[in-house]
Amino acid sequence: AQSVTQLGSHVSVSEGALVLLRCNYSSSVPPYLFWYVQYPNQGLQLLLKYTSAATLVKGINGFEAEFKKSETSFHLTKPSAHMSDAAEYFCAVSEGYSGGGADGLTFGKGTHLIIQP
Amino acid sequence: KAGVTQTPRYLIKTRGQQVTLSCSPISGHRSVSWYQQTPGQGLQFLFEYFSETQRNKGNFPGRFSGRQFSNSRSEMNVSTLELGDSALYLCASSYADRLTDTQYFGPGTRLTVL
């Protein structure tokens, strides 16, 4: 079964600084990887998705993530943080139906991103 | 294209009652999934419906049930509510495969059990 670990439940960066949110996964098959963002009192919104087409994935709002198989990582980055980026970010991994099991999609615990003015 | 809608947005119930939550997916989406989100447990998968059939189920007691209608709208029901059922319940729709397709989430229903 797949699993995902997000390092750091809270990350604080200054406005204009680099944003780096860490995600490590485990999977027995080539995974599908997702980053979602959740703003207060809202549902989750997809930022980007990795499906093996390219290791560097560009998403919305200037975010991107790089798939590193050797490190089993899929860290999310943004060159310059904006105040509007303050939100909860979730990494998720799926093995597709080849992975079997009832819940083939696993979400991390989330990282709360705080932007300091 | 209209997004995923969930009703009601907020609910307050007492222990022992039952509750029904509703979800309307994006037009054309046939897969509807339900999640429970709490501060302690994070996002936990409840079940997924596809073409009116439950396709997958998470590890929740039988008090949690759901169904899907022919127009893909879905409802979930929780019977004999417990304090621990207080959570944000999220509905997500995808075109066909929630494990590989993008899921589009609704704003959630905030359930408080007193």
Side-chain angles (χ1 to χ4, degrees):
Chain A
Q2 73 279 5
S3 67
V4 60
T5 302
Q6 290 184 241
L7 295 174
S9 59
H10 290 77
V11 170
S12 180
V13 303
S14 299
E15 191 174 16
L18 172 72
V19 174
L20 170 60
L21 304 183
R22 300 177 188 274
C23 172
N24 288 89
Y25 70 92
S26 70
S27 175
S28 57
V29 301
Y32 295 83
L33 294 160
F34 307 82
W35 273 101
Y36 283 89
V37 61
Q38 185 178 32
Y39 298 101
N41 298 316
Q42 295 186 29
L44 279 69
Q45 178 185 7
L46 181 73
L47 278 174
L48 47 82
K49 177 172 73 173
Y50 168 77
T51 58
S52 79
T55 57
L56 183 62
V57 183
K58 293 187 182 300
I60 62 172
N61 302 338
F63 285 94
E64 62 181 36
E66 185 173 8
F67 172 69
K68 292 187 176 181
K69 184 179 179 180
S70 60
E71 298 177 9
T72 60
S73 69
F74 190 57
H75 301 333
L76 182 70
T77 61
K78 181 174 181 178
S80 177
H82 295 156
M83 295 299 291
S84 60
D85 293 327
E88 192 84 13
Y89 291 80
F90 294 90
C91 180
V93 61
S94 166
E95 295 181 340
Y97 287 100
S98 63
D103 186 4
L105 176 64
T106 301
F107 284 85
K109 293 291 188 183
T111 296
H112 186 64
L113 177 62
I114 300 162
I115 310 297
Q116 306 276 10
Chain B
K1 192 183 260 190
V4 177
T5 58
Q6 292 187 245
T7 57
R9 290 293 311 277
Y10 302 90
L11 265 179
I12 298 176
K13 294 286 187 178
T14 56
R15 278 182 299 174
Q17 288 186 308
Q18 76 165 29
V19 67
T20 299
L21 312 181
S22 182
C23 171
S24 292
I26 290 173
S27 177
H29 285 191
R30 293 185 294 167
S31 168
V32 175
S33 300
W34 289 89
Y35 296 86
Q36 182 194 67
Q37 186 178 25
T38 59
Q41 298 298 318
L43 272 159
Q44 293 186 283
F45 171 69
L46 281 156
F47 30 66
E48 178 197 11
Y49 284 86
F50 181 83
S51 293
E52 301 180 66
T53 301
Q54 188 178 87
R55 182 155 69 176
N56 283 298
K57 188 178 188 303
N59 188 28
F60 277 81
R63 300 186 295 108
F64 292 83
S65 63
R67 59 178 175 168
Q68 186 181 34
F69 302 94
S70 58
N71 61 358
S72 292
R73 190 178 70 85
S74 177
E75 289 181 346
M76 69 162 279
N77 184 76
V78 188
S79 63
T80 319
L81 284 167
E82 300 177 359
L83 294 179
D85 296 334
S86 294
L88 181 66
Y89 290 88
L90 293 167
C91 167
S93 76
S94 57
Y95 179 69
D97 182 355
R98 73 178 182 95
L99 299 185
T100 58
D101 295 339
T102 298
Q103 288 191 88
Y104 295 84
F105 286 79
T109 294
R110 173 78 62 185
L111 173 64
T112 301
V113 182
L114 303 176

